[in-house]
Amino acid sequence: MPDYKVYYFNVKALGEPLRFLLSYGNLPFDDVRITREEWPALKPTMPMGQMPVLEVDGKKVHQSVAMSRYLANQVGLAGADDWENLMIDTVVDTVNDFRLKIAVVSYEPDDEIKEKKLVTLNNEVIPFYLEKLDDIARDNNGYLANSKLSWADIYFTAILDYLNYMTKSDLVANHPNLQRVVDNVTSIESIRSWIDKRPKTEI
Amino acid sequence: MPDYKVYYFNVKALGEPLRFLLSYGNLPFDDVRITREEWPALKPTMPMGQMPVLEVDGKKVHQSVAMSRYLANQVGLAGADDWENLMIDTVVDTVNDFRLKIAVVSYEPDDEIKEKKLVTLNNEVIPFYLEKLDDIARDNNGYLANSKLSWADIYFTAILDYLNYMTKSDLVANHPNLQRVVDNVTSIESIRSWIDKRPKTEI
């Protein structure tokens, strides 16, 4: 079994899909949490100077979606064929677009610009994405692709706390089909066990 | 053979990787170019109301990177195993991050903000990404992953015109290893033939 390490800050955010997927497959991993003080010295050792980073038998890789797809293949959560994988990839990239649209407002440093952007985000962008994603979950019986569990469900559920934190809301509260996705993922014993034992962090 | 359609505006940009990949595989496709006047009526028929859209035997899908990966699998430009695919996915997502960082400045509507952002983009972001990508191309002998042709090379080469358009520059001019990637792709006969016959557009 390969030796896995996840390098990230002491937050869930973009590292959590990796931790969920490794936990789902019962693959032991070293959950390395870097402090803000340690980061400047470590940054040059990371590909592209960013985290999360996954280390597999000493080889460091980056890009959270690419790493999640790789782990999904190791733990049996990819699609059964190219078309199923396309369905998974499409919804994961849509979830990621949604995250970026939220993040660009959440991290806007200028208060005046931020207030303006928040209006569009809250009145247009968030309702649009939630409705589309909820429709997909309805059409797939409580999953995000192919009417069965895949890494798309894991990815969405794992970053949901981060999306909720940035939007100061409970995004799935009024979207029962997305709530079913979350319930389907968090009721898996290995995921439940990870959630119970992971460090408690706000983000 | 499936019936392929590519729906996009009359531009290269994010549709061009799909057209390159279909051309590479000698897969006939209907290259549907929508005018700005036709778009409002068509928009509600497209998943997420966006293009490019790929139609495969009547089924419409979206997300340019996901569609490119799917086509790559059909034409033999994916990796040989999960690790090779991870190397490809990582560099494609990095190229896509680079595109987004350029686009957010290029499409900034406020002139004053744009001027400020252009300084960081030109002095920091662009040199950083180009240096990293050029190093990857050097380490992979003129390819972006696994020292052999893959859809990562096709994706980069196909969107390069768009990146050059947004940055008003020739991004690979002083990056000989990235220039080798472009040369390796554009010297493929099926790609060369597509480039010769495609509609001439600025973007």
Side-chain angles (χ1 to χ4, degrees):
Chain A
M1 195 178 290
D3 181 36
Y4 293 107
K5 282 193 178 70
V6 174
Y7 294 88
Y8 201 37
F9 297 109
N10 185 27
V11 295
K12 296 188 279 286
L14 295 181
E16 204 62 11
L18 307 178
R19 299 181 188 124
F20 266 46
L21 286 161
L22 288 159
S23 299
Y24 175 86
N26 296 305
L27 300 175
F29 65 102
D30 197 355
D31 185 27
V32 186
R33 292 172 183 247
I34 309 296
T35 64
R36 299 283 158 183
E37 292 68 39
E38 293 167 325
W39 178 232
L42 266 172
K43 190 175 164 67
T45 71
M46 297 295 176
M48 300 302 285
Q50 295 173 334
M51 297 192 291
V53 157
L54 176 70
E55 193 177 292
V56 184
D57 285 339
K59 289 173 283 187
K60 285 190 178 74
V61 291
H62 69 121
Q63 285 292 356
S64 56
V65 170
M67 294 185 286
S68 296
R69 184 180 299 106
Y70 175 78
L71 289 178
N73 274 296
Q74 311 317 303
V75 302
L77 285 178
D81 55 32
D82 292 341
W83 186 263
E84 284 197 2
N85 281 323
L86 174 57
M87 297 298 105
I88 294 168
D89 288 349
T90 300
V91 77
V92 168
D93 286 354
T94 299
V95 168
N96 216 32
D97 283 355
F98 184 40
R99 173 183 71 78
L100 283 167
K101 281 171 196 279
I102 291 170
V104 82
V105 181
S106 178
Y107 294 118
E108 170 60 54
D110 184 309
D111 282 346
E112 206 175 321
I113 297 173
K114 185 170 182 164
E115 282 306 311
K116 258 191 240 176
K117 285 185 173 173
L118 264 177
V119 176
T120 314
L121 182 70
N122 288 324
N123 296 349
E124 295 172 32
V125 178
I126 290 176
F128 176 78
Y129 273 88
L130 288 178
E131 191 188 323
K132 289 283 185 185
L133 290 169
D134 198 69
D135 286 352
I136 292 170
R138 181 199 60 212
D139 296 346
N140 286 281
N141 300 311
Y143 297 99
L144 285 171
N146 309 312
S147 295
K148 63 181 177 185
L149 184 72
S150 75
W151 67 280
D153 308 298
I154 304 275
Y155 189 86
F156 175 74
T157 303
I159 70 160
L160 183 59
D161 279 348
Y162 178 47
L163 302 183
N164 284 339
Y165 173 83
M166 287 194 287
T167 57
K168 300 184 179 68
S169 67
D170 179 355
L171 291 170
V172 301
N174 299 308
H175 294 85
N177 298 295
L178 288 176
Q179 183 64 61
R180 280 175 70 198
V181 172
V182 172
D183 292 345
N184 282 332
V185 170
T186 56
S187 63
I188 299 165
E189 199 184 322
S190 54
I191 297 286
R192 183 78 258 151
S193 160
W194 166 250
I195 291 172
D196 287 344
K197 80 176 182 197
R198 70 185 174 187
K200 302 295 164 260
T201 59
E202 189 185 20
I203 310 177
Chain B
M1 198 178 286
D3 181 36
Y4 292 107
K5 282 192 177 72
V6 174
Y7 294 88
Y8 200 38
F9 298 108
N10 185 26
V11 295
K12 296 188 279 287
L14 295 181
E16 204 61 11
L18 307 178
R19 301 181 186 123
F20 266 47
L21 286 161
L22 288 159
S23 300
Y24 174 85
N26 296 305
L27 300 175
F29 65 101
D30 197 355
D31 185 28
V32 187
R33 292 171 185 248
I34 310 296
T35 65
R36 299 282 159 185
E37 292 69 37
E38 293 167 325
W39 178 232
L42 266 172
K43 188 175 165 71
T45 72
M46 297 294 178
M48 299 303 285
Q50 295 174 333
M51 296 193 295
V53 157
L54 177 69
E55 193 177 291
V56 184
D57 285 339
K59 287 172 285 185
K60 287 190 178 73
V61 290
H62 69 121
Q63 285 292 356
S64 55
V65 170
M67 295 185 287
S68 297
R69 183 179 300 106
Y70 175 77
L71 289 177
N73 274 294
Q74 311 316 304
V75 303
L77 285 178
D81 56 31
D82 293 340
W83 186 263
E84 284 196 4
N85 281 322
L86 174 57
M87 296 298 105
I88 293 168
D89 288 348
T90 300
V91 77
V92 168
D93 286 354
T94 299
V95 169
N96 216 32
D97 283 354
F98 184 39
R99 172 183 71 80
L100 283 168
K101 281 171 196 281
I102 291 170
V104 83
V105 180
S106 179
Y107 294 118
E108 170 59 54
D110 183 310
D111 282 347
E112 203 174 323
I113 298 174
K114 186 169 180 163
E115 282 307 309
K116 255 191 240 176
K117 285 184 173 173
L118 265 176
V119 176
T120 314
L121 182 71
N122 288 326
N123 295 348
E124 295 173 30
V125 178
I126 291 177
F128 175 77
Y129 273 87
L130 288 179
E131 192 188 323
K132 289 282 185 184
L133 289 169
D134 198 69
D135 285 352
I136 292 171
R138 181 199 59 213
D139 295 346
N140 286 280
N141 300 309
Y143 297 99
L144 284 171
N146 310 312
S147 295
K148 63 181 177 186
L149 184 72
S150 75
W151 67 280
D153 308 299
I154 304 274
Y155 189 86
F156 175 74
T157 303
I159 71 160
L160 183 59
D161 279 347
Y162 178 46
L163 302 183
N164 284 340
Y165 173 83
M166 288 194 288
T167 57
K168 301 183 178 64
S169 67
D170 178 356
L171 290 169
V172 302
N174 299 309
H175 294 85
N177 298 294
L178 288 177
Q179 183 64 60
R180 280 176 71 198
V181 172
V182 172
D183 293 346
N184 282 332
V185 170
T186 57
S187 63
I188 299 166
E189 199 184 323
S190 54
I191 297 285
R192 184 76 260 149
S193 161
W194 165 251
I195 290 171
D196 287 345
K197 78 176 184 199
R198 70 183 174 188
K200 303 295 166 260
T201 59
E202 188 185 21
I203 307 176

